[in-house]
Amino acid sequence: NQYTEEINNWTPHSQQEVENYRLKFLVAKGIVKGLFEEFKNVSSEEKRLLGKVLNEFKQLAEARYAETKDLFEVSADSSKDSKEQDLTLPGPGFEIGTRHPLSLVRKEIVEIFKKLGFIVAEGPEIEDDWHNFTALNFPEEHPARDMQDTFFIRKQEGNDIALRTHTSSVQVRMMESGTPPFRAIMPGRVYRNEAISARAHCFFHQIEGLYIDEGVSFADLKQTLYHFVQELFGEGTKVRFRPSYFPFTEPSAEMDISCTICKGAGCNMCKYTGWVEILGCGMVDPNVLTNSKIDAKKYTGFAFGMGIERITNLKYEIKDLRLFSENDIRFLRQFETET
Ligand code: PHE
């Protein structure tokens, strides 16, 4: 019939047109209901014929409405929104971030060594067994490898890939890359498979130092680190060296400074000893030089490595390592005034 054609050709352009369609065809007094009313009055013979046609028409009319009724809802909504929004109100302000305390301390340490002629070098955090262990004189199957709980990425006979456990791997990369003299510091993130607590984390940051040249001695090591401590913690801070062991240095030492918090009076930070350990160091083992293709008869050198977290804890009296990686704005904001 005429209406079937009208409905088939109908394309609405607005919500209003959809509504007009509904009012024309689908409401109680609309055309569809009207036709069904008329249908009651025809003879039963005609009913058989018309019934099917009429039902099909009803379905078509309803289907077209279902298809079109949501088409314009979005635009209808947004026009409502724009009426309610006051565009003259000021927008939300920008918040300027602050430097992370670890970045502040790393920068400070780097500046001190730069003045002594050290350059900054970096290496990959995903490291192979050679650079993290073997070249550094950790024999295979040696228990010293267990000193550092390693996150392995791929374990393969003689060719493990792991997250570096210390920045000493960058020493090897630097020495392999050329000929002495080398004078560099190497800041970076390192990883160890440890349970997370106030005093340990599965990742932290180190700064490695390396100085290789002809005639470098333990006296150079002591004087360099002594100067560093005076610059970082203030004139008059005491240092002491205790004999220690690292596979890649011989002799090896750990360096303590007089506790910056209690000034030797005794506190939690120094466990009431007046001293806190801040780094490991030593003369680079000749085996490491040879492994990195450096002439161990001609050159000597020293290396040291420290944890940036430990130093930051001392400088700012931070007692829980987890604060550094929690992104709590109340913690980070306290360093706002620093540059
Ligand atoms: N790599 C050692 C550590 O992570 C620190 C160190 C570096 C010691 C260089 C001596 C020389 O504990």
Side-chain angles (χ1 to χ4, degrees):
N1 66 39
Q2 71 181 85
Y3 293 125
T4 307
E5 206 174 317
E6 183 183 334
I7 289 174
N8 276 329
N9 292 333
W10 176 67
T11 358
H13 302 286
S14 67
Q15 187 65 25
Q16 190 57 53
E17 282 180 42
V18 176
E19 180 61 5
N20 289 345
Y21 171 92
R22 190 181 70 89
L23 292 172
K24 182 170 178 185
F25 290 102
L26 301 175
V27 293
K29 293 210 162 91
I31 286 165
V32 174
K33 279 267 158 59
L35 288 172
F36 273 92
E37 285 300 316
E38 277 180 45
F39 179 70
K40 284 180 187 158
N41 303 326
V42 300
S43 68
S44 47
E45 225 167 281
E46 282 176 306
K47 268 189 183 149
R48 232 175 291 135
L49 259 168
L50 273 177
K52 191 166 166 266
V53 179
L54 206 51
N55 266 322
E56 275 171 11
F57 174 68
K58 184 180 173 231
Q59 273 163 20
L60 173 72
E62 283 171 352
R64 285 295 280 149
Y65 179 65
E67 273 167 32
T68 54
K69 75 180 170 50
D70 292 333
L71 275 182
F72 303 97
E73 290 240 301
V74 179
S75 52
D77 268 8
S78 67
S79 71
K80 187 170 134 233
D81 258 12
S82 63
K83 265 181 225 138
E84 280 170 9
Q85 227 163 52
D86 182 353
L87 296 178
T88 64
L89 286 174
F94 289 104
E95 290 219 42
I96 294 176
T98 53
R99 271 190 206 277
H100 194 281
L102 292 175
S103 302
L104 291 171
V105 171
R106 183 197 58 216
K107 205 166 152 250
E108 228 181 304
I109 296 171
V110 166
E111 289 307 319
I112 294 169
F113 283 103
K114 265 191 179 168
K115 286 189 194 139
L116 297 177
F118 285 72
I119 61 160
V120 176
E122 283 180 347
E125 292 179 16
I126 297 173
E127 210 23 303
D128 51 37
D129 178 272
W130 172 257
H131 292 95
N132 198 80
F133 291 122
T134 307
L136 287 163
N137 205 31
F138 285 83
E140 243 160 271
E141 310 300 333
H142 192 280
R145 292 191 183 219
D146 300 335
M147 278 164 63
Q148 306 183 341
D149 307 284
T150 310
F151 280 120
F152 288 100
I153 292 172
R154 191 187 72 201
K155 264 191 142 329
Q156 213 172 66
E157 195 69 34
N159 187 22
D160 295 341
I161 301 290
L163 295 177
R164 67 178 175 196
T165 59
H166 53 182
T167 41
S168 301
S169 54
V170 193
Q171 274 188 42
V172 179
R173 289 188 174 272
M174 169 146 238
M175 289 191 283
E176 283 175 342
S177 75
T179 48
F182 297 115
R183 201 188 290 155
I185 47 166
M186 304 131 188
R189 185 175 281 189
V190 301
Y191 301 83
R192 292 190 195 175
N193 192 355
E194 284 182 39
I196 296 170
S197 72
R199 303 179 58 86
H201 212 297
C202 58
F203 67 81
F204 60 100
H205 300 79
Q206 286 189 331
I207 291 196
E208 189 89 0
L210 177 72
Y211 181 24
I212 310 273
D213 203 347
E214 290 180 47
V216 176
S217 73
F218 202 90
D220 297 316
L221 164 67
K222 283 178 86 172
Q223 183 56 35
T224 305
L225 293 179
Y226 179 76
H227 170 79
F228 160 68
V229 167
Q230 304 308 303
E231 291 284 303
L232 189 68
F233 292 104
E235 230 34 68
T237 310
K238 285 188 255 168
V239 305
R240 74 175 185 190
F241 291 82
R242 282 178 290 103
S244 184
Y245 171 76
F246 300 102
F248 36 94
T249 47
E250 183 60 37
S252 304
E254 279 169 316
M255 190 179 83
D256 298 340
I257 61 168
S258 51
C259 185
T260 52
I261 290 166
C262 64
K263 311 272 178 251
C267 69
N268 244 335
M269 188 67 88
C270 60
K271 300 196 197 91
Y272 300 92
T273 62
W275 295 96
V276 267
E277 183 212 316
I278 63 161
L279 56 81
C281 58
M283 300 306 290
V284 178
D285 192 301
N287 286 343
V288 177
L289 295 174
T290 308
N291 287 340
S292 313
K293 312 256 179 327
I294 304 289
D295 183 350
K297 291 213 170 66
K298 189 170 173 194
Y299 296 105
T300 53
F302 66 73
F304 57 87
M306 65 188 106
I308 303 180
E309 276 81 350
R310 168 75 65 97
I311 302 216
T312 309
N313 288 351
L314 276 171
K315 277 192 78 90
Y316 294 109
E317 295 186 44
I318 295 162
K319 295 197 175 66
D320 191 329
L321 268 182
R322 291 168 291 196
L323 287 166
F324 291 126
S325 48
E326 274 169 355
N327 271 345
D328 187 332
I329 206 104
R330 293 166 301 178
F331 171 70
L332 297 171
R333 278 263 176 268
Q334 297 177 85
F335 304 89
E336 203 153 26
T337 54
E338 308 281 338
T339 48

